[in-house]
Amino acid sequence: MPEATPSTALPELRHTAAHVLAYAVQDLFPDAKPTIGPAIENGFYYDFERSEPFTPEDLAKIEKRMHEIVKANYEMTGQAVTRAQAVDRFKTNPYKVELAEGIPEGEPITLYTIGAFTDLCRGGHAPKTGEIGGLKLRSVAGAYWRGDEKNPMLQRIYGTAWNTQEELDAHLHQLEEAQKRDHRKLGAELDLYSIEEDAGAGLVFWHPKGAIVRGIIENFIREGLRERGYQPVVTPHVVSEKLYEISGHLENYAHGIFGALEVEEQNFRLKPMNCPGHILIYRSHPRSYRDLPVRFSEFGTVYRYERSGVLHGLTRVRGFTQDDAHLFCEPDQLQGEFEQTLDEALRLMKAFGFTDFEYFLSTREPQLRGETDAQAEDAIRNALEKNGLPYGIDEGGGAFYGPKLDINVRDAIGRKWQLGTVQVDFDLPKRFDLKYRGSDGADHTPVMIHRALAGSLERFFGIVIEHFGGAFPAWLAPIQAVVAPISEHQVEYAKSVADKLEAAGFRVHLDESNEKIGYKIRHWKTQKVPYILVVGRQELADGTVNVNARGVEEKRTVTVDEFAGELRQIVESRS
């Protein structure tokens, strides 16, 4: 391939690669109708209508043809056309005709050409195909036209493109590592959770080991909530849909809410959000400025309708539990409350091994902005700047009721995940007519802060599994140590060791199986247990254990008390 020009931005480079993909498919499979092909994070895709499914052999042929197109170094040329010209140009492709006819009046309509291939496109490309330094086709999947299951099913070919072959190689290595860390694979291998067909897609069943880890995560978060004066609340799973009419969720998030349940001629909904419930608790009796700030917290389970095509293990589900909290405060308390919430978010993420963060101040769409938006944005901006944290602006990315702070983290292999979110809300308190009696004796409307720092416990757990590759640190591991006797003659001693460690508060498993010790060690290593304590004749005689620490080749022998002391220090320090 020709050497890439580093100045080409990756989104433009990948958009060009999508055109190259469509060009190659049209050359090799003239019956395939191209539809849309955008750049996406780390790659691109293109959707095609074709009666025959693309095979792995087809992908190899397509990729070979793409390399030839890149090597030819075709120039990308654009041409403005009228709507009628665009419709005529693509009259044999109903998808392109629909796109052309749907472009709003006044917006330019452009065609872009490389070699013998012309596409309807709004632009944003590399000037020449030769600037693609490395590309690879990854997979084929089904996709409905425009994401609507009522529309025809298309075939989506995914690929990735980079400025250089070296960058591509590094990305492919990351993907290989990601496959090893896939939380769906590890969740089954480590017996953490399952999603059962008989119950329905997107609904999580926590197995004992997974539930233990989840409980540790919850307790860690609760510890921080207690320190910061949050009060626990619990709200119903099913409520009248009138609540979501008032809040605006029914209007703004109707696509993500399960259908109505009619009971005695009244419509109810599975709870998609916790905030309206917390608002009702705040409103349940009069409040004074002396009561503020009021901080309610709930591990609240919510239900959202996600299409089956986007469900993905723990990270995209239909029922999930949020570490949700809502704060009600005076306007002059907003800054301090936002700062302590940011501190709380960083405490959580650092404890679970995340050290690389990105921050985004997400503003509301222009038509939704109100006079209070500037104050809310200033609170977010000031909190970030006070902590010396660089941030970006996501114009229009805020919630319908106010601006927000989104915190992204990078995991152990460099992938970016959106985790914590903190939202400032002047809108919902007005919708629900919330009041507090001020120091001046008059009624005032409080400011509301929404915050979910782990977000969804299911999603957070899935990310943590992948971050650690299933090898949880000792403080988080569902089984911290396995005691493995070499023969039946050491079983009673092994049991006494396990009992002593359990009495000290550790999570211990006694392996009483008749397997050889080599097999036991190999098995528990695959289960990624932090410590395997082997006991044989010598350990029985000396009152010791032989410590096999995960990831450490050297074995050592210590007393049970010495091991307990070391493990306690590790657990308490969360190292």
Side-chain angles (χ1 to χ4, degrees):
M1 285 186 183
E3 186 173 347
T5 303
S7 60
T8 302
L10 283 175
E12 284 76 18
L13 191 84
R14 289 165 179 161
H15 193 180
T16 305
H19 284 258
V20 172
L21 168 57
Y23 188 179
V25 169
Q26 286 265 271
D27 272 1
L28 295 169
F29 306 96
D31 63 314
K33 285 185 172 64
T35 65
I36 57 170
I40 57 176
E41 186 177 6
N42 291 329
F44 59 92
Y45 69 78
Y46 213 114
D47 290 347
F48 301 91
E49 181 196 79
R50 183 172 180 248
S51 57
E52 294 295 320
F54 289 111
T55 66
E57 293 75 22
D58 292 336
L59 285 195
K61 292 175 186 175
I62 295 167
E63 185 177 307
K64 180 181 178 183
R65 179 67 183 119
M66 289 177 71
H67 283 280
E68 293 169 355
I69 295 168
V70 169
K71 188 174 181 180
N73 202 20
Y74 291 115
E75 187 176 354
M76 177 72 75
T77 58
Q79 175 190 6
V81 297
T82 66
R83 191 182 313 277
Q85 287 172 324
V87 169
D88 183 65
R89 175 69 177 77
F90 296 103
K91 59 188 175 185
T92 61
N93 185 330
Y95 303 99
K96 295 293 183 184
V97 169
E98 182 180 326
L99 291 172
E101 290 177 339
I103 297 173
E105 290 292 338
E107 284 194 15
I109 300 175
T110 49
L111 308 181
Y112 281 87
T113 300
I114 48 173
F117 177 73
T118 298
D119 206 352
L120 178 70
C121 183
R122 68 180 58 182
H125 308 102
K128 294 185 177 182
T129 61
E131 297 205 8
I132 301 171
L135 68 83
K136 180 73 177 174
L137 295 185
R138 297 291 301 157
S139 61
V140 183
Y144 291 108
W145 169 238
R146 294 194 150 178
D148 189 336
E149 61 216 25
K150 297 176 184 175
N151 288 336
M153 174 66 79
L154 307 174
Q155 295 186 69
R156 177 171 294 177
I157 299 180
Y158 285 98
T160 187
W162 298 80
N163 287 118
T164 67
Q165 184 64 38
E166 290 73 20
E167 289 174 321
L168 172 63
D169 291 341
H171 176 67
L172 295 178
H173 175 72
Q174 183 191 66
L175 291 178
E176 289 176 10
E177 186 63 27
Q179 285 183 334
K180 298 176 190 174
R181 294 169 177 258
D182 189 324
H183 73 275
R184 295 167 300 174
K185 169 177 169 287
L186 291 172
E189 291 175 357
L190 303 180
D191 193 23
L192 300 172
Y193 77 94
S194 63
I195 294 174
E196 302 292 339
E197 277 188 32
D198 289 345
L203 303 171
V204 180
F205 288 77
W206 295 83
H207 295 198
K209 290 200 290 184
I212 287 170
V213 179
R214 172 177 164 152
I216 295 166
I217 295 171
E218 286 188 16
N219 289 338
F220 179 85
I221 295 171
R222 283 195 175 94
E223 180 184 303
L225 293 171
R226 283 194 300 271
E227 291 173 359
R228 289 169 170 78
Y230 285 78
Q231 302 174 72
V233 297
V234 180
T235 58
H237 289 233
V238 180
V239 295
S240 169
E241 73 173 16
K242 290 179 181 177
L243 197 59
Y244 300 111
E245 289 174 356
I246 298 171
S247 70
H249 288 107
L250 203 58
E251 174 188 354
N252 290 278
Y253 290 109
H255 63 280
I257 301 178
F258 278 104
L261 306 169
E262 187 177 330
V263 180
E264 297 178 348
E265 298 182 353
Q266 182 181 359
N267 284 341
F268 287 77
R269 299 276 182 161
L270 285 170
K271 178 174 63 171
M273 311 280 180
N274 295 304
C275 39
H278 293 189
I279 287 171
L280 294 187
I281 294 174
Y282 176 92
R283 205 178 65 178
S284 64
H285 61 80
R287 304 282 178 176
S288 160
Y289 73 95
R290 292 187 178 90
D291 301 322
L292 303 185
V294 170
R295 307 181 185 103
F296 292 145
S297 67
E298 177 180 15
F299 287 90
T301 301
V302 297
Y303 304 89
R304 297 185 190 168
Y305 172 57
E306 298 280 6
R307 297 181 187 278
S308 58
V310 300
L311 296 175
H312 184 84
L314 293 173
T315 58
R316 199 75 179 263
V317 293
R318 288 176 172 160
F320 56 93
T321 302
Q322 294 178 302
D323 67 319
D324 221 351
H326 295 91
L327 298 81
F328 304 86
C329 64
E330 296 186 85
D332 61 3
Q333 295 173 326
L334 173 60
Q335 186 64 51
E337 290 302 300
F338 201 92
E339 288 175 9
Q340 66 91 2
T341 301
L342 177 58
D343 290 342
E344 196 181 340
L346 295 179
R347 168 186 174 269
L348 170 70
M349 294 176 196
K350 289 177 180 177
F352 286 87
F354 299 107
T355 57
D356 188 355
F357 306 100
E358 289 181 352
Y359 307 88
F360 287 93
L361 193 172
S362 300
T363 64
R364 284 203 285 185
E365 294 179 357
Q367 71 272 20
L368 296 176
R369 286 180 62 83
E371 59 184 22
T372 55
D373 279 62
Q375 182 183 354
E377 290 166 16
D378 284 345
I380 298 171
R381 189 178 291 107
N382 292 339
L384 290 165
E385 292 175 355
K386 182 177 180 180
N387 285 277
L389 303 174
Y391 60 92
I393 305 293
D394 179 12
E395 299 285 356
F400 72 88
Y401 45 72
K404 63 177 179 172
L405 169 66
D406 287 327
I407 304 174
N408 297 336
V409 300
R410 290 194 182 275
D411 66 14
I413 59 173
R415 295 171 302 173
K416 185 167 69 176
W417 303 88
Q418 197 274 313
L419 279 183
T421 184
V422 188
Q423 304 165 355
V424 181
D425 184 0
F426 288 87
D427 190 37
L428 291 189
K430 292 178 182 176
R431 286 176 179 257
F432 283 91
D433 195 29
L434 300 188
K435 300 294 181 184
Y436 67 92
R437 182 61 55 89
S439 58
D440 58 359
D443 284 341
H444 299 271
T445 301
V447 184
M448 187 173 175
I449 298 176
H450 307 242
R451 51 114 285 184
L453 305 185
S456 145
L457 290 182
E458 284 75 5
R459 185 170 182 274
F460 184 74
F461 187 42
I463 294 168
V464 167
I465 291 172
E466 297 200 8
H467 181 57
F468 291 116
F472 300 114
W475 72 273
L476 188 58
I479 299 175
Q480 294 170 317
V482 168
V483 184
I486 291 177
S487 74
E488 60 183 12
H489 302 294
Q490 293 91 43
V491 168
E492 283 305 311
Y493 173 63
K495 187 176 186 306
S496 70
V497 170
D499 288 345
K500 187 171 186 178
L501 293 174
E502 283 182 346
F506 300 116
R507 297 182 293 278
V508 183
H509 176 78
L510 172 63
D511 186 344
E512 297 182 81
S513 68
N514 293 324
E515 302 291 347
K516 295 183 182 298
I517 191 62
Y519 175 87
K520 291 182 182 181
I521 292 172
R522 287 192 300 274
H523 169 72
W524 292 111
K525 280 185 174 181
T526 65
Q527 291 295 295
K528 304 183 187 297
V529 173
Y531 297 98
I532 303 168
L533 308 180
V534 176
V535 293
R537 283 182 299 177
Q538 194 62 51
E539 287 76 23
L540 170 60
D542 298 340
T544 58
V545 291
N546 184 261
V547 181
N548 288 247
R550 185 179 61 207
V552 178
E553 288 296 323
E554 184 181 353
K555 312 297 183 293
R556 58 197 179 88
T557 299
V558 297
T559 67
V560 178
D561 287 340
E562 286 173 332
F563 174 76
E566 292 173 8
L567 183 54
R568 184 168 304 285
Q569 185 177 8
I570 290 168
V571 169
E572 290 179 353
S573 65
R574 296 192 176 100
S575 58

